[in-house]
Amino acid sequence: MTSDAYVKIYAVVRGIPRGRVMTYGAVARRAGLPGRARQVGYALHALPSKAEDVPWQRVVNAEGRISLADWEGGAGLQRSILEAEGVVFDRRGRIDLACYEWRPSGD
DNA sequence: AGTTTGACGCTCC
DNA sequence: CGGAGCGCCAAAC
């Protein structure tokens, strides 16, 4: 899966600073894959949990929520990491994208 | 090679 | 605001 698209996706995700998050759609767009948000999720899913190079935990859906349905505690893990980075979840487990969404400047 | 599935997003109701 | 429907596309069957 050494697709160029994946490389771009990882590059974008890697560029998300600590304490900030990005939506799948935004990452896809930034990676040159407009409308292929699903592909982004697929790419991240293929990542090993050890991939510290790619902060997949900083990627959430357009609602500012964690997508993982009920994978091996993945959702809980992601939330824990984000909270540890300073990201605040509201009572519904949602992130305030207006404040935490990372918008790369110069684009 | 056809079908199903899925870390998504947007529109409609 | 929540649920349903549809579009998108790669990987798994």
Side-chain angles (χ1 to χ4, degrees):
Chain A
M1 51 179 86
T2 37
S3 303
D4 184 61
Y6 276 46
V7 177
K8 287 181 182 174
I9 291 172
Y10 297 147
V12 174
V13 176
R14 206 177 287 121
I16 305 175
R18 190 170 180 282
R20 282 284 205 294
V21 297
M22 222 170 154
T23 67
Y24 291 93
V27 172
R29 222 154 107 116
R30 184 86 178 135
L33 303 168
R36 277 119 198 126
R38 228 165 196 179
Q39 187 61 24
V40 175
Y42 216 89
L44 294 183
H45 187 219
L47 276 174
S49 45
K50 289 178 80 173
E52 295 175 30
D53 300 359
V54 184
W56 55 272
Q57 55 264 15
R58 290 178 194 152
V59 183
V60 296
N61 63 22
E63 289 180 39
R65 286 193 173 195
I66 293 174
S67 285
L68 301 133
D70 45 287
W71 175 54
E72 318 167 6
L77 173 65
Q78 178 170 8
R79 175 168 174 166
S80 299
I81 298 174
L82 290 178
E83 290 186 311
E85 297 192 345
V87 177
V88 179
F89 286 73
D90 67 13
R91 199 166 58 179
R92 277 213 211 129
R94 218 161 54 175
I95 299 172
D96 185 351
L97 292 178
C99 295
Y100 297 100
E101 182 175 30
W102 174 244
R103 318 174 176 181
S105 31
D107 190 40

